[in-house]
Amino acid sequence: MQPSGMPILYLSNTEEIPGKTIFQTFGLVSGSTVRAKHVGKDIFASLKSIVGGEIKGYTELLNESRNEALQRMIVEAAGRGANAVVNIRFSTSTVASGAAELLAYGTAVSVQ
Amino acid sequence: MGLLLAYNRVVPLDSELIWVFLYIVFPFLIPLTIYIISIIFGSMVYSKGVAELRTRQSSSQSTHPNMLCNMRTTKNIPKVTSVANSEATFSPVVASEIQSSGLLVLSTVYSLSTWSKLKVAIKSIFGGRLTSAQEMLELGREETIQRLREEAIRQGWTQVINVRIETLCLDKKNDRPSAFVEFCVYGTGIRY
């Protein structure tokens, strides 16, 4: 998951890294991706939505893009010299019908 | 049919039936088939999903009870490793005991069936409870939470704290019922 040659980043959506102490903050970091639907997957998805239930193609797509957003946030945090990101939040918004923006944000800190 | 009669042609009965079929029955046939498929297979997909989810829930609940919680800090959370953690022997998780932690994110996309979307559209005129939509959303959310639990077990976390659940309509157009609903569940796994 993490790019090579980078310090190991602790990630957490709590206000601190459990079992560690924060000694420096580097401010807010965020990463986002905008993903549009795939045509082939879209046809299958619209057929699957007749009967309802899980749309596996979209599940994969969103998980993939959320990881990418997280990755961008990690790169930004590592660039500032932080070794952890705390209080991570995720948010998704539909910018147009068929395209979604996935955003991950948190506070870059240094922990011991 | 009117056109044919205007030409003073003799229209046999079977040929007239073809026109009736083409202009009156056929336009309704495709949506009708879709709704019938939606009613029959929709409930099948739902009940299959529920049955599968319940067995997975009970199996992971028996091996790893009370794994998820949405408290922000660990001071009020009882340890899950001691099996009989009653009120008398309450032992909270101590921060110094935690060896490692990590983020867990999972999301799934669920869709309402065409039939329940129609029911939503009709019900939204009169108001009231939308049982079929509610059931599907509940299934989707519980499934996502169960996947997070399984992922946490697979990665070897003892407990997951600060679990947050988000729901989002992915493909909402104006006032029409949304086709796709995304559930995003995330939390911090801890090991001690």
Side-chain angles (χ1 to χ4, degrees):
Chain A
M1 272 275 303
Q2 282 177 13
S4 56
M6 261 179 195
I8 295 162
L9 275 153
Y10 298 98
L11 301 174
S12 170
N13 72 335
T14 54
E15 278 152 35
E16 59 205 1
I17 302 293
K20 303 229 181 293
T21 43
I22 296 167
F23 64 89
Q24 202 179 352
T25 51
F26 296 93
L28 189 76
V29 285
S30 63
S32 73
T33 45
V34 180
R35 281 290 177 99
K37 295 191 286 190
H38 187 269
V39 181
K41 279 176 185 166
D42 204 22
I43 292 164
F44 181 75
S46 56
L47 285 176
K48 184 76 207 314
S49 77
I50 293 172
V51 293
E54 198 199 335
I55 318 289
K56 290 212 171 67
Y58 286 175
T59 299
E60 277 167 30
L61 187 78
L62 281 172
N63 278 324
E64 218 171 81
S65 4
R66 184 163 286 110
N67 281 336
E68 200 183 306
L70 201 61
Q71 204 59 56
R72 285 183 184 169
M73 188 194 75
I74 290 169
V75 168
E76 199 188 326
R80 290 191 198 179
N83 72 345
V85 183
V86 293
N87 217 357
I88 296 169
R89 296 278 179 266
F90 292 97
S91 90
T92 318
S93 52
T94 41
V95 284
S97 79
E101 193 211 11
L102 299 129
L103 174 71
Y105 58 100
T107 306
V109 293
S110 273
V111 294
Q112 255 173 352
Chain B
M1 282 183 297
L3 205 73
L4 283 171
L5 289 172
Y7 282 111
N8 288 326
R9 279 168 62 180
V10 182
V11 183
L13 192 69
D14 55 329
S15 149
E16 192 176 324
L17 274 173
I18 286 164
W19 287 108
V20 167
F21 181 80
L22 272 180
Y23 284 102
I24 299 167
V25 181
F26 193 68
F28 293 99
L29 210 63
I30 295 167
L32 201 72
T33 325
I34 288 174
Y35 281 122
I36 288 167
I37 289 170
S38 176
I39 292 165
I40 296 166
F41 291 97
S43 59
M44 268 172 64
V45 164
Y46 171 73
S47 50
K48 196 185 155 199
V50 168
E52 200 186 300
L53 178 67
R54 291 283 174 262
T55 53
R56 279 162 59 205
Q57 269 179 338
S58 60
S59 73
S60 62
Q61 194 65 247
S62 61
T63 52
H64 297 79
N66 309 324
M67 200 176 183
L68 310 180
C69 68
N70 73 340
M71 291 188 204
R72 285 192 291 179
T73 52
T74 49
K75 65 179 180 188
N76 290 323
I77 305 167
K79 279 182 184 173
V80 289
T81 39
S82 50
V83 178
N85 207 329
S86 63
E87 279 179 49
T89 59
F90 179 82
S91 57
V93 179
V94 185
S96 57
E97 282 178 12
I98 297 166
Q99 292 159 4
S100 55
S101 66
L103 189 74
L104 285 160
V105 208
L106 257 175
S107 72
T108 51
V109 180
Y110 266 73
S111 160
L112 294 179
S113 68
T114 312
W115 177 239
S116 43
K117 265 187 275 181
L118 182 76
K119 284 208 277 189
V120 169
I122 295 167
K123 265 281 178 69
S124 64
I125 302 168
F126 307 105
R129 278 184 67 196
L130 297 157
T131 320
S132 61
Q134 182 201 326
E135 278 173 347
M136 188 50 95
L137 294 187
E138 266 175 14
L139 171 68
R141 193 171 292 119
E142 279 185 43
E143 170 75 34
T144 319
I145 293 168
Q146 176 59 28
R147 279 190 197 173
L148 188 84
R149 195 179 281 130
E150 280 165 5
E151 181 68 19
I153 292 167
R154 199 181 63 77
Q155 291 186 7
W157 303 115
T158 324
Q159 206 167 11
V160 184
I161 60 168
N162 203 14
V163 176
R164 304 281 139 150
I165 305 165
E166 261 182 48
T167 315
L168 180 97
C169 304
L170 273 186
D171 202 16
K172 203 170 165 61
K173 286 170 196 152
N174 304 328
D175 280 343
R176 283 168 58 195
S178 172
F180 304 110
V181 184
E182 189 214 0
F183 301 102
C184 177
V185 179
Y186 55 103
T188 304
I190 53 172
R191 196 183 286 128
Y192 51 82

